[in-house]
Amino acid sequence: MKVLFIKESSAGKKGEVRELSSGYAENFLIPKGFAVVATPQIQAKLEKEGKEAEIKKLKEIEKLNALKADFEKREFQIKVKVGDKGQVFGGLHEKDVAKFVAGKMGINIDKSQLDLGGIIKAIGLYEAKLKLAAGIIAKLKINVSAL
């Protein structure tokens, strides 16, 4: 008997269709709510949802690649207080840069997505990496200057 798992079980994962003995399916999995009988209509619906999810994922990747290109063509100018030798007071951390870039771009950026390679302690031009998604990393140009 073919069953579609609707909950995680030792016999299968959620969304998985498996061929199992009818006794196990009818006496345990279906009554306990772990699975339903995989009729041709359910299987067709599952395939359709899988294709829709794949299309949605591709659109999201395309959107993130466009955002990456937008980030990489910009240079972010951050003005900070500096001492008489050009050192930045307190330094610029991932949190500060993420907040600044998020404000300029109008999107949410978490400090964990940003990699500066250390605290910025002097004025100058820096490059940072912004992880938008798995495998999509934008390189940001950050120009730190005095107020």
Side-chain angles (χ1 to χ4, degrees):
M1 169 182 271
K2 279 192 175 184
V3 294
L4 167 66
F5 286 90
I6 53 177
K7 286 184 184 174
E8 195 77 24
S9 165
S10 61
K13 297 179 180 177
K14 182 179 178 182
E16 183 181 9
V17 176
R18 292 199 52 198
E19 183 75 36
L20 299 172
S21 69
S22 59
Y24 182 55
E26 291 172 353
N27 295 323
F28 180 72
L29 293 174
I30 294 171
K32 298 278 185 183
F34 287 111
V36 293
V37 177
T39 63
Q41 294 87 359
I42 290 176
Q43 288 179 336
K45 181 181 175 190
L46 189 64
E47 274 186 42
K48 182 181 175 191
E49 288 173 355
K51 288 178 184 176
E52 289 173 354
E54 186 68 28
I55 290 170
K56 184 178 178 183
K57 183 179 176 183
L58 289 173
K59 285 182 180 179
E60 184 68 24
I61 288 172
E62 188 177 298
K63 180 181 166 187
L64 288 173
N65 280 326
L67 187 61
K68 174 186 172 186
D70 191 27
F71 272 120
E72 290 180 345
K73 71 180 180 183
R74 293 176 181 240
E75 184 176 296
F76 296 96
Q77 180 81 25
I78 301 177
K79 295 188 180 280
V80 294
K81 290 182 182 180
V82 294
D84 55 350
K85 295 181 183 175
Q87 77 275 16
V88 177
F89 286 127
L92 271 178
H93 299 266
E94 279 92 356
K95 173 181 72 170
D96 305 319
V97 176
K99 186 176 179 182
F100 179 82
V101 172
K104 287 287 185 186
M105 297 296 287
I107 61 170
N108 290 333
I109 298 174
D110 190 53
K111 68 178 183 176
S112 63
Q113 292 176 275
L114 197 62
D115 179 22
L116 291 176
I119 301 169
I120 297 175
K121 295 184 177 184
I123 58 175
L125 188 62
Y126 295 90
E127 189 172 282
K129 294 178 184 174
L130 177 64
K131 182 178 180 184
L132 298 171
I136 303 176
I137 299 173
K139 291 185 169 95
L140 304 179
K141 293 179 202 111
I142 301 167
N143 190 353
V144 180
S145 61
L147 277 174

